Every structure is written in structure tokens, then in C-alpha cells.
Amino acid sequence: MNTNTINLQAGPMEDTLTKGLNQHQLEAVSLNWGSSLVLAGAGSGKTTVLTKRAVYLLSTLKQAPESILAVTFTNKAAGEMRERVESLVGPQIARRLMIGTFHSICARLLRQEIHRYKSKEGLTWKTNFVIYDETDSMSLVKNTVQKLNLDEKVFAPREMRYAISALKNDGLTAAQFTSEARTYRDGKLSEIFNHYQAGLARNNALDFDDLILIFNDLLDQDPDLRSELQERFRHVLVDEFQDTNQSQYKLIRSLCREEPKDITDEELTKLWHERSLMVVGDVDQSIYSWRKADFRIILGFQKDYRQTRLIKLEDNYRSTASILEVANSIIQNNTERIEKTLRCNRGQGAKIKVYAGMDEIDEAYFVVEELKRLQARGINLSDTAILYRTNAQSRSMEEVLVRNHTPYLMIGGTRFYDRAEIKDVIAYLKLIYNGSDGQSFLRTINTPKRGLGKSSLDHLVEYAEKNNISLLHAAVLANKIPALSARAAKSFADFALLIERLQDLATHKSVSELLELLLSQSGYTRKLEEEASAAKDETAYGRLENLRELITVAQEFESLADEPNLESFLTRISLVSDLDAVKHGEDAVRLMTLHSSKGLEFKNVFLVGLEEGLFPHVRSINSHSPAALEEERRLMYVGVTRAEERLYITYSRKRASFMTGNFGSTNYTIPSRFLSEIKPDLLTGLESQPATPSFEPQTQNRYSSQPQQSRFGQTQPSTPAQAKPRVLGRYTPPPESPNHSTQSEPSFERFKLGDQVMHTKFGMGKVTQVIGEGEKELYNIEFQSSGKRLMDPKFAKLIKVN
DNA sequence: GAGCATTGATTTTTT
DNA sequence: ATCAATGCTC
């Protein structure tokens, strides 16, 4: 028997594989060779199908584990798939499959193969390349625009970076775009693109998009490598195929070999012998077109692969009929789609509750009170998600959750790895790993301050460019740069010595030890401690904590990773998002954007902020492009179909926003058009308010700082009456709530002497004095971190914690 | 060169 | 409202 196959008893394994599958799922799992397209509606069990398909290839079709390549949308999904495969075939086999996102798979393969690559312009990379995130690549684009003497107003670096990214996602290299550029602007853009790319090579860095693009380009120019990989990956599985872009699709086609146009069916069958390609997706859930994902690829798939087996999974096992009807009634309004009807396999379920808050705080209170009621009925917070369109919306939600001691887990948002101190330290690590990285050099050279300013740096950069050496190398040779002052030269040389010392340590210390050493030897910790103790910066404590956290992350990594070295640590943190780190089981409600919720499911879902301009977002409305609006609608569809049992939809009648045109001001809102697309009899307002279905204010809203003036009626769009959901008085929390509303209640939360309070910036504190009364009340608060401060509760963001 | 004050730009989703 | 970039002073 071949060691590359597993020979399980046909009977039991077959049973395990087929158990619980419906006819269509079974068909997909047990396909033989060739290409297949699985159109899988939300909740139709596509993850199960993919997993079992992989195991079927291993066990029944006796394929080698190494021959299977499975592409998922997130690293978390990859981890889960590997776990599920492992539970069926054991760790020895499971670890030999290649499972990951496009980016992580390409990064892994490039680590081994990039030495073979040379671009058309002759650019090359070394094995120890680093991966640039958005910030790194943004600052490189900016440098490039400046160096080319272009007007930053006309060629805004932000836009240029975005344009380059879009080109790369469409599969165009700098050379290819240059030959296509016709207009003046495109000409300049190609100039920037070329210089930017050269800059990346000089820094021995790749951006996100390069991981796939460069790998494709390498496969194009190296037929040997291509055949090698085609031989190896005989079975390719792709999840979330509707969100694949041209560059990614090209990679798939390279690995699976193109089908020659005029080839007989017989030859085609031969071509696919002991090979397979299965793509799984749902056009209605395509939500990444802004990243150049193109769901038309899925529509054209059968043309590219002629003998494709088409399988539709239309049985939904996730949601109640009510939820599915809502989803279907919304998505029906899209024109660009494949007709598909989800069949429900569960009961009718409850109607969808809709709530209109006075403002975003009131809206959040409704959610929190509803959460408490769910908890009282024995429902876990961890089975519940609050989904929103933009990250900024998490703020008001968090505030109210904290006040009510409701544990929550925020996913995405300001990501841990985006924090300044974390990026600083990672820049050190990148520079230690790859001394050519100029962006990391520039980030670390004066952090903490080493007395090196702009002019000294300009001299160093000039010297490095003239001699075609890295900035770090130039720093080593600083005493040979005449323009530098003796002090500056010494400072550069010292820094170079520091990095050299750390590079040496990196060869025999673990990543976490290296982190500790670099933090102390660079003076970074000392700087933060000084800032913290001098009370100049109250956030310094928090930043020190974040750095401890990073060391913990490194220690965890060391205990879990196959190869716990600096290289894999850096690759990992470059590609792993917060979403991938979501812990299971923790009893906390999950907060995330609709985009982050893709692929997840929850018993209870709150969709918040259903307002015109927010969801659908202004950008998609202002673009006047039906396609953009349809994508927002798909996003709504994704949100609705995350829910298994209960779905809530909320919005606020007014919202403090800096999105809808005027910054920092409060605007009255119009309910989202998506609400009016739902059949009214699927919705219900709150039963606790049957007596006052009026939109007129009842009392002053105690959660907002201004008297309520509902102009809801006037701001209604000129759409017919059915556009108005039949809701909804103001939400009145249960009476046990601490500060029940009265007419004379001030417009802020009142505190008493001795109350423990929390401030977003100063942290924990205690009320030591109350000055004045009523509307004019002021508090003297002693903060643990920064001593006493007088605060006006009308403005300070204070939250009572006891 | 560092620290502070002012000015200007900002407006989605993320591997 | 908030932050980054710029300008001014020591």
C-alpha cells in the first residue's frame, strides 16, 4: 500500500462521510474527477461539503494529502476546516493538506520560490522578504509621489495606492499596465506604479496584492515550477468563490491548467484524469467588489471549464422561515443574480423585531435590554451578534454595553496590530529580519527619540541612494557621510549597532525573548515608562500593556507553531486578522461589521443602523451606480442570513455622524430602503409600546443631551406609506433600571460622591466632589493614573462602573 | 531637533 | 470630532 493514501475500511468511513447529507450535498462530496461548480445558498452546509469532499478525495479516491489545496476566505475558516478534516482522518494526514487563504498560501510558496523570480524590469526579491501592510505601502507610495515631483493634490497618495492595488487585483503587473496606459493620468500612474514597485524590491518587501500577483508572474515565466505545482496540486477546492478577483482566479487556472479551446470531450476527460477543481460560492453573497472581487467570474466558470458539473444547494438548515422570507424579499430586488430559492428546513419562527431609537444611544439601550431578556431566558451571549455597516458604529454600542456590564467581544475594528506601539515594535522585528527594509528603518530610527531629525535623515537617505545601499547599511557607514554632524553620525552608528546586536540575538533566541530584549535595549519601554510616570501621557500605561500582550501572543505562537521562528511569526501577524483570533465559547456578545460576519452564524442577530446613508452607505448612493447599491443589498442579505432563530433590526431617528456630510453634528435620519423591501407582515414593532405608536416625542430622551424634536414625519422620503415600517414608540427600559426618567432629570448621567467612574482617556477614577447642581453639576474626579480633574459630565465621556 | 500650537483634511467594507 | 501635517519657538 502506498503511504500517501489512507486505507480506511470503506464501510465506516463511507458512512461517516455520507451521514446526514442530502442528495445534492452527497453528489458534490462524491464527485469523481473534473471540475465542478457548487452554488451554495446561505446556510446550505457548504463548509460541510468542502470538508467531506477533501476527506472523500483522501479516503475513497485514494489521493495523496499533499495533492489537495483548499482555499478559504479567512485564516480562521482554514483552521476550522483543518480541524474538521483532522477529526475524520487524524492529525498525521490532516497536516499534510495545504489549507489557507490565497494570501497565506502564496506567502508560503513564495518563501520557497521567490529566488527564482525576476520581474520584466529586472526586480528581484530575497527569501527573507517582508510583507507590507497598508500603512507601509501607503508611505512608500507617498515617498514615490514626492520623489517624482508630482503634486500630492493631483496625485493623492491614497488614491494612487488604491489605483495600484486595483490594478494588481485585476492581475496587471507594472510592466503590463505601462504598455496599456493611454491617458496622461494613466501614464503618470504607471510611472508611480513602476517606482513604487522598485521601492518595494529595494526594501525587499511585497505588498498584500503582490503575494498573489508576483506568484502568478513567477508561474508565467517559470514553466518548470508551474508544471511542478500542477503535478502536486491535483485537487483544488475554493470556498467563497464569488469573492475571488481576477488575480486569484488566474492563479487557480494556472494551477489547474487551462483547457485548450478546441479539444474533444474525450481529450478533456483525459486532461482531468485524477484531477479535480471544485469552486463553491453564492453570487448573492458577493460583498468585496471594492477589493476587485468579481462575481461574474462565477457566472463564466462553466465557459472556462466546459465539463463542469453544476450542483445547487438550496436547502437551508440554518434559519427560521421568517428569517429566510426576509432575506428572500430583500435579495429579490437585485437584478444581477442567479435565480435561486432557499428552501427552509425549520419552523416558521418569530417575526423580526424592528426598533427605532431616538438616537444611537437609545438604539444601543434597546439592544442591551433585549440582550438581558434573552439571557433571562437562558440564552447565551456568545450565541448573539451585533452587526453594523461601519466600524465607527461600535462606539455607542460599546459605551452602553460597558455601562450595563454586558461582556462583549469586538472583532476587527481598530485592530490590535494597527496600534502605534505594536507597529513600532513590529517594525523593529521586520528590520531585524530584513535589514533592507527602509520603511521599517524610518519608523524605528527615531522611535524612541535619538536626536535625529529631518535634515540628518535626508543626508542619510541621499547617501544610501547614491551608493545604492540600504538605509541600515548607510547608518553603519554614517561616519563616512560628511554632511552629518558628529552627534548625528554617532547616533546612526549606535542604532546600526543595536540592530546588529539584535540580529545576532535573533539567531539563537525565541521570538518572545527577542521582543523583551529589543524593548529594553532600544529604550522603547523606558520611554513609555517615563511618559507614564511623568503623567504626560495617560495612555502610556495602556500601551505598555499592549506590548506585554504582544509578548504573550509571541509565547503562544512559540508553543503552537510548527516552526516558531521570527520568519513565520512575521508572516503570520502580517496576514492574520483579528477575526481569525475569535475565541470560542466565551460568554460575550460579538460585535463586528457585516463584512466580518461573512461565513459565521448566530442564534440571535441584531442588525443596527438601518438608515439611508449609513446602510446603504452614502458612497453607494452617491455613486448612482446600481451595481454599488446591489452590493449593499447583498450585504444586507448576508447580515439577515447570519441569524438562526431571532433577528432584530434597529435604526435611530437621529445620529451624531461625521459621515453624512457635516462633521460632528447630529442629523435626522431616514430609515433604510432595505426595511421597506421587507414584507410588512414579517415585521413587528415592540409590544411593550402598544399605546403610543406615534412618532411624536413623549418626554425628553434621557439618553441624549438635547431635547428631542422628532421630525421623523417630515423627513420621510417621498416613497409610499409602505416605506414606513409600522413601528414604534420609544423604547422604555424596565423600571429596575437605575435612573428612571423624569421631566427634571438632567441630560447626562448623574454621579454621587464616591462613585467609581471610567473615562475613555484617563481610565478609572472616583468622584471626590460634586459642585453645583442639576444641569450645571460638575464633578471633581480623582483618577488613578493622573490625579484630580474637574469634569463637566455634559462633555466628558464618563461611565459609571459600580 | 524637540515640543507645542495651529491648520487642514477627513466620510466603508479588509486579505 | 479627530487626527495628521505644518509652522513657530526655544
Side-chain angles (χ1 to χ4, degrees):
Chain A
M1 187 184 67
N2 189 330
T3 55
N4 281 337
T5 64
I6 43 175
N7 195 10
L8 290 148
Q9 298 286 320
M13 185 47 116
E14 294 274 280
D15 278 358
T16 316
L17 282 183
T18 57
K19 203 170 63 190
L21 295 184
N22 67 32
Q23 181 202 326
H24 306 282
Q25 293 171 325
L26 185 63
E27 187 190 352
V29 167
S30 57
L31 285 171
N32 211 324
W33 320 125
S35 58
S36 54
L37 168 60
V38 180
L39 296 176
S44 61
K46 72 184 164 71
T47 314
T48 305
V49 166
L50 273 175
T51 308
K52 294 198 166 175
R53 169 66 183 165
V55 176
Y56 184 86
L57 284 165
L58 292 167
S59 62
T60 305
L61 298 179
K62 305 275 180 257
Q63 299 298 296
E66 285 79 9
S67 72
I68 295 175
L69 173 69
V71 185
T72 58
F73 198 73
T74 64
N75 290 292
K76 180 171 174 253
E80 286 174 356
M81 182 166 176
R82 193 181 295 280
E83 259 173 49
R84 292 174 70 165
V85 171
E86 191 177 311
S87 72
L88 293 171
V89 301
Q92 298 304 326
I93 303 280
R95 63 181 313 195
R96 286 155 64 190
L97 274 69
M98 186 162 296
I99 306 175
T101 62
F102 277 107
H103 291 87
S104 66
I105 287 166
C106 288
R108 231 177 300 166
L109 294 169
L110 278 174
R111 278 282 172 229
Q112 296 160 22
E113 311 291 353
I114 202 165
H115 64 272
R116 300 198 197 185
Y117 179 68
K118 189 180 211 175
S119 78
K120 280 245 167 46
E121 304 82 6
L123 303 176
T124 58
W125 280 261
K126 285 174 288 176
T127 307
N128 63 331
F129 64 84
V130 290
I131 299 165
Y132 273 5
D133 65 15
E134 225 163 300
T135 322
D136 296 324
S137 87
M138 179 70 180
S139 81
L140 186 58
V141 170
K142 201 168 174 189
N143 293 349
T144 309
V145 172
Q146 282 165 353
K147 210 182 292 170
L148 291 172
N149 280 320
L150 294 169
D151 186 345
E152 282 187 54
K153 295 267 158 54
V154 184
F155 299 94
R158 225 181 114 88
E159 280 168 39
M160 296 298 110
R161 199 205 73 82
Y162 182 78
I164 290 170
S165 173
L167 291 168
K168 288 181 171 180
N169 284 326
D170 276 341
L172 291 173
T173 62
Q176 286 165 329
F177 178 61
T178 303
S179 65
E180 278 185 18
R182 294 284 174 271
T183 65
Y184 169 78
R185 199 177 163 81
D186 277 359
K188 287 293 175 205
L189 176 59
S190 83
E191 223 175 292
I192 297 168
F193 192 169
N194 277 298
H195 274 78
Y196 166 73
Q197 208 60 26
L200 284 172
R202 206 174 333 109
N203 288 316
N204 194 25
L206 297 175
D207 65 22
F208 269 132
D209 311 315
D210 278 338
L211 293 173
I212 296 152
L213 183 78
I214 297 286
F215 189 62
N216 267 332
D217 208 27
L218 171 59
L219 291 182
D220 275 351
Q221 54 174 256
D222 192 333
D224 291 343
L225 177 63
R226 196 170 63 230
S227 326
E228 203 179 293
L229 291 176
Q230 284 172 349
E231 266 321 294
R232 173 174 170 194
F233 297 121
R234 302 183 69 90
H235 303 285
V236 177
L237 306 162
V238 189
D239 197 5
E240 307 284 8
F241 191 65
Q242 76 283 353
D243 278 321
T244 299
N245 63 38
Q246 290 295 345
S247 179
Q248 293 164 337
Y249 187 42
K250 185 179 172 185
L251 176 65
I252 296 297
R253 279 178 298 155
S254 276
L255 292 177
C256 296
R257 305 190 299 201
E258 304 264 352
E259 289 183 1
K261 282 278 165 286
D262 20 282
I263 182 173
T264 66
D265 284 355
E266 210 169 60
E267 288 170 312
L268 205 52
T269 308
K270 207 184 258 170
L271 192 75
W272 280 99
H273 181 66
E274 299 224 0
R275 302 185 69 88
S276 72
L277 166 62
M278 173 179 281
V279 300
V280 182
D282 178 4
V283 174
D284 290 336
Q285 295 187 64
S286 169
I287 54 174
Y288 281 90
S289 72
W290 47 275
R291 234 165 63 182
K292 293 260 115 183
D294 185 355
F295 65 80
R296 268 158 291 250
I297 292 174
I298 214 172
L299 302 181
F301 187 77
Q302 287 168 287
K303 283 209 189 75
D304 294 337
Y305 294 98
R306 278 167 37 198
Q307 292 182 341
T308 293
R309 295 285 294 273
L310 176 70
I311 295 168
K312 287 191 182 185
L313 305 181
E314 297 178 299
D315 285 287
N316 178 293
Y317 296 95
R318 182 186 290 156
S319 312
T320 64
S322 296
I323 290 165
L324 283 186
E325 282 173 46
V326 168
N328 286 333
S329 64
I330 287 165
I331 201 67
Q332 268 168 18
N333 293 282
N334 271 11
T335 57
E336 285 195 288
R337 59 188 296 256
I338 304 173
E339 201 47 52
K340 166 168 60 54
T341 324
L342 282 179
R343 284 186 295 269
C344 185
N345 284 273
R346 302 187 54 175
Q348 182 63 38
K351 285 188 178 184
I352 280 61
K353 282 190 185 171
V354 180
Y355 176 71
M358 284 298 192
D359 53 30
E360 60 267 48
I361 299 296
D362 188 48
E363 184 186 11
Y365 260 101
F366 164 74
V367 173
V368 171
E369 295 296 338
E370 196 61 31
L371 282 176
K372 285 183 185 164
R373 285 185 16 198
L374 289 174
Q375 272 185 294
R377 288 160 66 181
I379 286 153
N380 288 332
L381 285 179
S382 54
D383 287 329
T384 308
I386 303 170
L387 308 180
Y388 36 79
R389 178 65 179 84
T390 67
N391 281 305
Q393 289 169 260
S394 69
R395 281 256 190 118
S396 49
M397 213 72 224
E398 281 185 278
E399 200 176 300
V400 176
L401 287 164
V402 169
R403 281 190 200 209
N404 285 276
H405 317 285
T406 307
Y408 66 92
L409 229 112
M410 205 169 77
I411 293 142
T414 321
R415 297 222 280 281
F416 180 69
Y417 297 111
D418 284 344
R419 291 170 201 214
E421 62 279 11
I422 302 297
K423 297 200 74 165
D424 287 341
V425 173
I426 288 174
Y428 271 101
L429 289 179
K430 282 185 178 174
L431 185 61
I432 290 164
Y433 176 65
N434 165 28
S436 312
D437 186 351
Q439 295 300 317
S440 294
F441 180 92
L442 292 173
R443 185 168 184 119
T444 50
I445 182 65
N446 216 21
T447 321
K449 300 264 182 295
R450 294 186 174 87
L452 296 163
K454 189 166 186 324
S455 59
S456 301
L457 267 174
D458 283 347
H459 293 313
L460 189 86
V461 169
E462 193 187 329
Y463 182 82
E465 277 174 11
K466 207 173 66 196
N467 294 285
N468 198 22
I469 55 175
S470 71
L471 293 178
L472 184 61
H473 193 183
V476 175
L477 306 172
N479 61 355
K480 296 210 167 65
I481 306 173
L484 287 178
S485 69
R487 260 189 65 169
K490 170 104 181 11
S491 210
F492 277 127
D494 286 348
F495 179 75
L497 282 173
L498 167 74
I499 299 300
E500 272 172 35
R501 208 161 56 234
L502 291 169
Q503 282 171 336
D504 180 52
L505 288 169
T507 60
H508 55 271
K509 295 276 186 194
S510 72
V511 177
S512 58
E513 286 169 323
L514 179 66
L515 269 171
E516 302 256 20
L517 289 164
L518 100 77
L519 280 169
S520 62
Q521 296 198 9
S522 66
Y524 198 95
T525 314
R526 203 178 333 120
K527 180 199 80 161
L528 278 182
E529 279 166 356
E530 277 164 17
E531 282 175 12
S533 65
K536 273 189 297 186
D537 186 352
E538 293 81 2
T539 60
Y541 284 113
R543 283 187 274 150
L544 283 166
E545 265 170 44
N546 288 338
L547 292 173
R548 297 304 318 169
E549 173 77 24
L550 181 66
I551 292 172
T552 311
V553 169
Q555 284 164 344
E556 273 170 31
F557 161 81
E558 282 153 17
S559 62
L560 293 173
D562 287 344
E563 288 175 85
N565 52 26
L566 181 56
E567 169 182 304
S568 60
F569 184 69
L570 281 175
T571 306
R572 198 186 153 79
I573 59 181
S574 306
L575 298 177
V576 166
S577 66
D578 272 11
L579 186 61
D580 301 321
V582 181
K583 304 151 204 122
H584 282 287
E586 205 168 311
D587 190 33
V589 58
R590 271 110 233 249
L591 268 68
M592 70 191 87
T593 62
L594 286 152
H595 281 90
S596 294
S597 77
K598 172 164 143 163
L600 307 177
E601 58 187 15
F602 305 92
K603 282 209 171 68
N604 319 294
V605 167
F606 292 85
L607 293 181
V608 303
L610 267 274
E611 294 144 37
E612 285 292 296
L614 191 56
F615 190 26
H617 197 269
V618 249
R619 287 264 180 150
S620 65
I621 298 174
N622 289 347
S623 70
H624 297 290
S625 126
L629 202 67
E630 294 208 345
E631 175 141 321
E632 294 282 308
R633 191 173 282 114
R634 289 193 292 270
L635 197 51
M636 177 71 186
Y637 178 77
V638 167
V640 169
T641 53
R642 294 314 92 196
E644 294 170 2
E645 290 170 15
R646 291 176 202 81
L647 176 65
Y648 299 84
I649 300 179
T650 69
Y651 63 96
S652 328
R653 294 183 193 165
K654 68 183 171 68
R655 179 177 296 273
S657 87
F658 46 97
M659 293 167 190
T660 42
N662 20 6
F663 297 92
S665 68
T666 297
N667 300 319
Y668 288 93
T669 64
I670 298 169
S672 169
R673 68 190 70 189
F674 299 147
L675 271 170
S676 59
E677 291 173 2
I678 302 171
K679 271 196 303 188
D681 54 335
L682 292 169
L683 303 177
T684 171
L686 260 199
E687 275 143 26
S688 64
Q689 286 283 322
T692 53
S694 151
F695 293 115
E696 291 309 309
Q698 300 138 26
T699 56
Q700 182 180 319
N701 181 343
R702 70 196 164 77
Y703 302 127
S704 68
S705 51
Q706 285 161 20
Q708 187 61 48
Q709 266 183 43
S710 176
R711 296 206 334 240
F712 187 72
Q714 287 96 306
T715 51
Q716 273 291 313
S718 56
T719 40
Q722 56 105 12
K724 201 194 300 175
R726 342 167 274 119
V727 201
L728 332 146
R730 184 168 73 84
Y731 181 62
T732 308
E736 72 268 17
S737 191
N739 49 350
H740 197 64
S741 181
T742 62
Q743 291 289 35
S744 61
E745 194 71 20
S747 57
F748 50 85
E749 184 176 10
R750 291 188 67 175
F751 302 122
K752 301 187 306 290
L753 212 60
D755 278 352
Q756 292 285 335
V757 295
M758 172 90 177
H759 186 272
T760 44
K761 192 155 169 194
F762 304 125
M764 293 293 295
K766 196 170 125 188
V767 178
T768 58
Q769 192 186 9
V770 180
I771 303 162
E773 57 181 52
E775 262 325 293
K776 294 191 183 112
E777 216 161 75
L778 296 177
Y779 301 108
N780 207 341
I781 296 165
E782 184 163 0
F783 288 103
Q784 286 164 7
S785 60
S786 55
K788 284 192 182 181
R789 277 168 199 277
L790 193 62
M791 310 217 101
D792 186 334
K794 285 200 284 294
F795 303 110
K797 288 166 187 152
L798 288 168
I799 297 167
K800 188 174 165 180
V801 289
N802 64 345

